[in-house]
Amino acid sequence: MIKKVRWRFITITMIAISFLMVIIVLITNSINYYSVTKSADETLDFLAENGGKYPRPDPPEEESDSSGNGMGGSGSESGPKENPGGKEGPYSTRYFTVTFDSGGNITASNTAFIKSFTKQEAQELAKEIYNTKETRGYINSIYRYLKSEQDNSATMILVLDYSLQLTPLENFRKVSLIVIGCGIVVAFPIVYFLSGLTVNSLVESDKKQKQFITNAGHEMKTPLTIISANNEIIEMEYGESGSTKSISKEVARMNEMVHNLTSLAKIDEMSKPVFTKISLTDEAEDAISTFRPLFEKEEKKLIAEIEDSIFVKADESMIRKLLSILLDNARKYSLTETHFTLKRVNGKAEMEVYNDATGVENGNLNKVFDRFYRSTQARGSGIEGSGIGLAIAYQISQKNRFRIQAFGTDQKYFHILATFSLASPVKDALQK
């Protein structure tokens, strides 16, 4: 149980850490992507406002002007507003423009500011963009486009090569994924270590609880034995009475409860069961032969259908305990009959015990495996029980790694189904 709690803690913590890292990376990448896209749109809007060109003077002429009356004087005063790319924008921006008239015919194209497209390639890409409904967007992942309506009912397609800005963004995205992976790998041993510290208190509490149950069971045996002995002496001296019968009945019930509590504590304390290949067929037949006289004494039917040569890997003593619990539970609560079946189903071994009973709910009844659980009908039936037996059966299933479930059908039959993995059959024939 403690291991399950620890691994549940580790799982939840690692999911939370991974989720948080993914959210941070997504937000960071989204912000970067938004910034890059916004910058590209500002550049495209600027170009659209200026007819698809940067309003820049000829750099060589300005640089060769020795009189000082060049680019710096008149350009900054009479030119348009400063472009989004700054002073280097006109020399670093790669783009082309294609203009369409109102009929969708190309009237002009300019590829002077980009080398990765020929005039024909630019026109073909522009036609593809012209036929889309979106005004702006990305095409071929690295080209940002804008459809700008001109004053003369013409449409200018501006395509901006933003690969230089998008490449670092893609690299950052890849690095982010690597960081997430490394973060998870680094976080796991830390979380594993901290989980050990977290569950230490639970481990100590669980140990004390189990030790208390074991000690209490041993301490209760002596007074119960004394009470039983004194009750027998009273019956010998004064004869059996209603009071002595009641004392004897309660002592027997308390002895059973102490035995079950001790068994439950021992199963919980067992770190690893001893797995061996056992014949579930033989174990079932032995259990049936043991319980059949008890059923007959109470005038109840015990109908068994057991398939031959079914082998499983399990702890032999625990399987015997399981069979005893299931058959005894059926004997107590059955009205007239109990069915026991053991067979192969879809490569598994299925062992089912079901009996007729009153007040059985249809559907899932796995709550019967809770400790000290007893249904209202069981409590009102007068049948003695502590609600621990089926809890032991569930613990046995957990220790031996097989599935056990309870359900009701037709509001009449109570079923318990255990499903085992088959072990390889004994190869006596091959050995011979």
Side-chain angles (χ1 to χ4, degrees):
M1 180 182 175
I2 298 299
K3 286 183 178 180
K4 286 186 177 180
V5 172
R6 183 176 185 181
W7 280 108
R8 188 176 300 171
F9 172 85
I10 292 172
T11 301
I12 293 173
T13 304
M14 290 303 300
I15 290 174
I17 291 173
S18 301
F19 180 77
L20 183 61
M21 293 179 68
V22 169
I23 290 297
I24 292 173
V25 167
L26 283 176
I27 291 174
T28 305
N29 279 279
S30 297
I31 291 173
N32 289 339
Y33 184 80
Y34 173 78
S35 299
V36 170
T37 301
K38 182 180 178 183
S39 175
D41 287 340
E42 289 176 353
T43 301
L44 288 170
D45 289 336
F46 178 80
L47 290 170
E49 291 174 4
N50 292 275
K53 294 182 180 180
Y54 271 104
R56 58 181 180 181
D58 190 358
E61 294 180 2
E62 296 300 327
E63 291 174 358
S64 63
D65 189 353
S66 59
S67 64
N69 297 325
M71 179 179 176
S74 59
S76 60
E77 294 178 358
S78 59
K81 63 181 181 180
E82 186 176 356
N83 67 76
K87 293 181 180 180
E88 296 298 325
Y91 311 107
S92 61
T93 306
R94 295 175 296 169
Y95 67 96
F96 68 83
T97 63
V98 178
T99 305
F100 294 80
D101 59 19
S102 57
N105 299 312
I106 297 176
T107 58
S109 58
N110 184 0
T111 57
F113 303 103
I114 191 168
K115 296 296 183 182
S116 55
F117 282 91
T118 63
K119 187 174 182 179
Q120 184 179 356
E121 290 172 341
Q123 290 178 353
E124 289 177 356
L125 186 60
K127 288 179 182 178
E128 183 180 343
I129 296 171
Y130 181 81
N131 293 322
T132 61
K133 296 180 180 180
E134 290 79 9
T135 303
R136 64 177 75 230
Y138 280 103
I139 191 165
N140 297 341
S141 300
I142 61 173
Y143 300 106
R144 185 72 176 172
Y145 68 84
L146 171 66
K147 292 165 66 175
S148 175
E149 300 295 333
Q150 304 297 300
D151 295 336
N152 55 356
S153 299
T155 301
M156 178 182 289
I157 305 297
L158 298 100
V159 178
L160 179 66
D161 184 348
Y162 229 55
S163 57
L164 292 178
Q165 290 76 10
L166 289 171
T167 299
L169 192 65
E170 181 64 25
N171 292 336
F172 180 80
R173 188 181 297 114
K174 292 178 181 178
V175 171
S176 299
L177 296 176
I178 295 173
V179 169
I180 290 176
C182 293
I184 292 173
V185 171
V186 172
F188 180 79
I190 298 174
V191 172
Y192 185 83
F193 173 75
L194 294 177
S195 69
L197 300 178
T198 304
V199 301
N200 274 343
S201 58
L202 292 176
V203 173
E204 292 300 321
S205 176
D206 189 62
K207 284 182 179 179
K208 290 178 181 178
Q209 182 182 6
K210 292 173 182 176
Q211 190 63 41
F212 170 78
I213 293 173
T214 304
N215 293 340
H218 288 300
E219 292 297 327
M220 290 176 68
K221 285 181 180 179
T222 301
L224 286 173
T225 302
I226 294 172
I227 292 171
S228 179
N230 288 335
N231 190 55
E232 290 177 2
I233 293 172
I234 293 172
E235 287 181 336
M236 291 173 62
E237 292 182 355
Y238 301 100
E240 191 179 61
S241 65
S243 297
T244 58
K245 285 183 179 179
S246 177
I247 291 172
S248 179
K249 183 179 180 180
E250 290 301 317
V251 168
R253 190 174 72 87
M254 290 299 295
N255 274 322
E256 183 184 6
M257 182 178 290
V258 169
H259 175 72
N260 285 338
L261 283 172
T262 305
S263 298
L264 188 60
K266 287 180 178 179
I267 291 173
D268 283 342
E269 289 174 359
M270 185 181 293
S271 57
K272 269 189 176 182
V274 180
F275 285 99
T276 56
K277 186 169 71 173
I278 63 173
S279 172
L280 196 56
T281 298
D282 292 344
E283 297 296 339
E285 288 176 345
D286 289 344
I288 292 295
S289 64
T290 300
F291 275 87
R292 193 177 293 280
L294 298 176
F295 278 84
E296 292 175 351
K297 183 180 179 180
E298 297 179 7
E299 297 182 351
K300 296 178 180 179
K301 294 181 180 179
L302 177 56
I303 303 166
E305 296 179 15
I306 302 174
E307 194 172 318
D308 292 334
S309 304
I310 294 181
F311 294 89
V312 298
K313 282 287 185 72
D315 186 289
E316 187 174 1
S317 62
M318 286 190 179
I319 294 301
R320 288 176 180 172
K321 181 72 174 176
L322 172 73
L323 288 164
S324 176
I325 290 170
L326 297 184
L327 288 171
D328 188 54
N329 184 78
R331 178 189 63 81
K332 284 181 180 179
Y333 296 104
S334 65
L335 299 177
T336 61
E337 62 183 20
T338 295
H339 295 258
F340 181 97
T341 62
L342 176 62
K343 56 188 177 181
R344 295 179 181 85
V345 178
N346 297 326
K348 300 282 186 179
E350 286 192 356
M351 182 174 69
E352 186 174 16
V353 182
Y354 62 98
N355 58 275
D356 54 353
T358 57
V360 177
E361 300 174 13
N362 287 339
N364 188 304
L365 294 176
N366 285 340
K367 57 188 177 182
V368 300
F369 298 119
D370 295 340
R371 298 182 183 187
F372 302 106
Y373 174 84
R374 294 192 77 203
S375 66
T376 305
Q377 290 79 9
R379 293 181 187 277
S381 64
I383 300 172
E384 298 299 332
S386 59
I388 301 176
L390 292 181
I392 296 175
Y394 180 77
Q395 285 299 102
I396 291 174
S397 73
Q398 295 296 296
K399 291 289 184 179
N400 288 268
R401 297 194 293 271
F402 65 86
R403 186 184 181 190
I404 190 168
Q405 52 189 321
F407 55 93
T409 57
D410 303 326
Q411 294 186 336
K412 182 179 179 181
Y413 285 96
F414 174 72
H415 297 246
I416 292 182
L417 175 64
T419 307
F420 301 80
S421 295
L422 287 169
S424 59
V426 180
K427 300 179 179 178
D428 291 338
L430 292 178
Q431 291 176 356
K432 290 179 181 179

